[in-house]
Amino acid sequence: MGKPHVFEAHSQMPVPSADLFSWHAREGAFERLSPPWETAEVVDRSGDGIRPGARVVVKLHLGPIPQRMVAEHTAYVEGSSFQDTQREGPFAKWIHDHRMNPSGPQASILDDHIQYELPVGTLGDTFGGGYARKRLERMFAYRHSLTRADLRRHAQFASQGPLTVAIGGASGMLGSALASFLTTGGHRVKRLVRGRANAARGDISWAPDKGTVDAAGLEDVDAVVHLSGANVGEGRWTDERKQEILKSRTESTRLLCETLARATRKPRVLICASAVGYYGSRGEEEVTEASSSGD
């Protein structure tokens, strides 16, 4: 058995405790809170959100060999706390209590309390104790900072009510981050997906290369964000690859525009973004295909 450890992180949050709890209870919270340097991939979910009995299976990349972690939610108090316990994974023991305590009418305290034990007993404590704690400190500094920033951002637009947003490219780096940002803020996300769509989740089936999209699925959206296209960083830029990169963007954008133009209830806005970093940081300057590159 390893030595018992306790790690705690406390931060002031700019919303009531009930709103802080709701943010954590919504779809996408785990993905939103995963630091970019802690590559974690959710491979399976079961149960009801964060209520007792619900489980999440995560593939962790902590070294050259990926590891599997199974966490089960083991306690739940509506509006104020929940708990998850490692059932399988890299720690000998891991029990994480998430607590949301009031701190005035429009503020709260986020309290993360973790009981853990490292594997390999005393040997693990000797060689990995300090490393594990520093890793936790870095992780929870990131998580609390991101949570605070997201809550402030959503609070700025709370009076406008929740939106329904369709996202093309929701499985990509930017799209997945945007989707979890929106869902944790109380918005509904409808993902445009190739192949079989998950109707229960509200997915919209489309095949840009064939010129088809489920137009009915786009009828009730407030906004469409289009981030799809072949990965520009993947493969050698042969003439054939360049054409694929170009067509994957122009054909999918044309399909969306033509479909939305025929819609009975059109979205308020269509946003397209593809490799805009080419232009550098230009503030409010409007740039076109004729503009110079940035640095």
Side-chain angles (χ1 to χ4, degrees):
M1 292 288 290
K3 175 185 174 183
H5 296 272
V6 172
F7 174 83
E8 293 183 318
H10 315 275
S11 292
Q12 183 91 11
M13 294 293 160
V15 296
S17 57
D19 292 352
L20 177 59
F21 180 89
S22 295
W23 188 95
H24 284 83
R26 293 183 182 122
E27 175 193 352
F30 179 89
E31 290 82 357
R32 192 68 185 143
L33 290 172
S34 297
W37 63 86
E38 297 278 354
T39 308
E41 176 188 355
V42 176
V43 295
D44 189 38
R45 274 194 173 93
S46 61
D48 183 8
I50 59 173
R51 292 178 180 274
R55 287 194 170 204
V56 58
V57 181
V58 182
K59 182 190 291 185
L60 301 171
H61 298 269
L62 302 177
I65 302 175
Q67 298 187 51
R68 185 173 183 263
M69 180 175 182
V70 179
E72 179 180 344
H73 291 289
T74 45
Y76 178 94
V77 178
E78 178 69 36
S80 64
S81 68
F82 64 99
Q83 180 188 80
D84 48 77
T85 301
Q86 177 192 281
R87 297 305 189 195
E88 177 185 331
F91 289 87
K93 176 183 179 181
W94 176 278
I95 301 175
H96 183 180
D97 286 287
H98 312 249
R99 302 163 183 162
M100 297 80 182
N101 301 310
S103 178
Q106 294 300 318
S108 54
I109 298 292
L110 175 58
D111 176 11
D112 283 290
H113 179 93
I114 301 170
Q115 304 171 59
Y116 68 98
E117 293 177 11
L118 298 174
V120 205
T122 303
L123 190 64
D125 290 321
T126 301
F127 292 98
Y131 172 76
R133 188 163 192 87
K134 287 181 180 178
R135 194 162 183 164
L136 288 173
E137 288 172 352
R138 185 184 183 205
M139 175 189 291
F140 280 89
Y142 170 86
R143 290 173 65 136
H144 284 210
S145 177
L146 179 137
T147 302
R148 186 185 302 107
D150 278 12
L151 290 169
R152 281 177 176 157
R153 186 65 173 166
H154 288 302
Q156 288 181 272
F157 301 95
S159 62
Q160 298 185 20
L163 303 176
T164 298
V165 182
I167 301 178
S171 62
M173 181 180 69
L174 294 180
S176 59
L178 175 63
S180 58
F181 170 75
L182 291 172
T183 54
T184 49
H187 303 288
R188 183 189 181 197
V189 169
K190 303 182 76 172
R191 297 163 176 83
L192 284 98
V193 299
R194 292 170 171 80
R196 188 173 182 179
N198 184 338
R201 193 172 69 166
D203 290 348
I204 302 171
S205 178
W206 77 329
D209 55 328
K210 298 178 182 177
T212 61
V213 60
D214 177 12
L218 291 167
E219 282 286 344
D220 63 344
V221 302
D222 299 295
V224 178
V225 181
H226 181 39
L227 304 168
S228 291
N231 189 339
V232 298
E234 188 177 278
R236 183 179 174 84
W237 275 33
T238 61
D239 289 341
E240 183 180 358
R241 179 62 176 169
K242 290 177 185 178
Q243 283 301 309
E244 181 185 359
I245 291 171
L246 179 62
K247 288 178 64 178
S248 68
R249 286 157 173 76
T250 57
E251 291 180 354
S252 59
T253 303
R254 181 180 294 110
L255 174 61
L256 273 179
C257 289
E258 292 176 349
T259 302
L260 295 173
R262 294 191 297 268
T264 302
R265 181 181 179 275
K266 298 176 176 58
R268 303 179 202 174
V269 64
L270 166 64
I271 299 171
C272 294
S274 174
V276 293
Y278 171 84
Y279 298 108
S281 179
R282 311 280 273 265
E284 296 300 312
E285 177 188 351
E286 183 175 305
V287 295
T288 71
E289 289 84 350
S291 302
S292 62
S293 64
D295 57 7

